Amino acid sequence: MTQRINYIQQSPELFKKLLEFSNQLKDSKIEESIRDLVSIRASQINGCGFCVDMHVKEARIHGERELRLHHLAIWRDSPLFASRERAALAWTEALTRLEESGVSDDIYERVRTRFSEKELSDLTYEVMAINAWNRANIACRTVPGSADKAFGLDKANLA
């Protein structure tokens, strides 16, 4: 794959704002492990190779188990995810694949029982952010692994 344009170089001020937004989410009420799962799952759904690569490496650096990463695509059938993680993944899928009728009451109720209103709001922003990154990297065909050194992802030792 060949990158089309480098959106970071072309619009550095906008990149910086989106990066600030994403970095601010690290202070949210959502656990780092759930944020990692959300980022990977949304990126899988959207087909963003750059973001799947990046967030798998981040998750490994954060201590995520390899088998859980392999099971993420089949999380509904896997026994490896807790109910709170399952709720977050259901919310991620619902917001990433928005139905014409919106997010169902069933999914909302399932998520609402596992997250406070503040946490649900933070989780929603987390999903919004990764979907924005996915769209930029897909549109520009950002090459997976091309920013490993810049983001410290070479520490994952997954090359």
Side-chain angles (χ1 to χ4, degrees), residues 7-22:
Y7 68 91
I8 297 169
Q9 290 176 351
Q10 296 304 313
S11 303
E13 62 290 337
L14 296 174
F15 168 78
K16 183 180 176 188
K17 292 295 184 187
L18 186 55
L19 187 60
E20 288 172 5
F21 173 69
S22 294

Side-chain angles (χ1 to χ4, degrees), residues 2-42:
T2 302
Q3 186 165 336
R4 288 177 170 159
I5 63 168
N6 185 323
Y7 68 91
I8 297 169
Q9 290 176 351
Q10 296 304 313
S11 303
E13 62 290 337
L14 296 174
F15 168 78
K16 183 180 176 188
K17 292 295 184 187
L18 186 55
L19 187 60
E20 288 172 5
F21 173 69
S22 294
N23 284 334
Q24 191 167 357
L25 291 168
K26 293 176 183 176
D27 296 329
S28 78
K29 298 292 183 186
I30 305 301
E31 306 93 290
E32 180 178 68
S33 60
I34 289 180
R35 290 194 321 267
D36 288 339
L37 296 175
V38 163
S39 293
I40 296 165
R41 187 64 191 129

Side-chain angles (χ1 to χ4, degrees), residues 15-143:
F15 168 78
K16 183 180 176 188
K17 292 295 184 187
L18 186 55
L19 187 60
E20 288 172 5
F21 173 69
S22 294
N23 284 334
Q24 191 167 357
L25 291 168
K26 293 176 183 176
D27 296 329
S28 78
K29 298 292 183 186
I30 305 301
E31 306 93 290
E32 180 178 68
S33 60
I34 289 180
R35 290 194 321 267
D36 288 339
L37 296 175
V38 163
S39 293
I40 296 165
R41 187 64 191 129
S43 299
Q44 288 173 334
I45 292 166
N46 288 323
C48 184
F50 179 83
C51 292
V52 168
D53 179 80
M54 169 183 268
H55 295 292
V56 164
K57 289 171 181 172
E58 281 182 339
R60 291 293 291 147
I61 290 169
H62 297 151
E64 184 58 73
R65 294 182 312 170
E66 187 172 350
L67 185 58
R68 281 172 39 98
L69 295 173
H70 289 293
H71 277 224
L72 193 51
I74 55 152
W75 65 268
R76 284 181 183 80
D77 300 322
S78 174
L80 301 179
F81 300 97
S83 60
R84 185 170 162 91
E85 292 169 327
R86 290 176 182 284
L89 292 168
W91 192 249
T92 300
E93 289 186 0
L95 296 182
T96 300
R97 295 179 177 138
L98 276 175
E99 298 290 330
E100 194 172 309
S101 60
V103 177
S104 74
D105 290 339
D106 177 57
I107 291 174
Y108 173 74
E109 288 301 323
R110 190 172 353 144
V111 175
R112 195 178 66 80
T113 64
R114 301 288 180 217
F115 293 90
S116 70
E117 288 186 2
K118 168 68 170 137
E119 290 170 330
L120 183 52
S121 179
D122 288 355
L123 180 60
T124 300
Y125 279 103
E126 187 72 40
V127 175
M128 290 166 49
I130 190 56
N131 276 284
W133 288 114
N134 287 169
R135 280 145 180 76
N137 286 301
I138 290 168
C140 296
R141 292 189 179 157
T142 309
V143 178

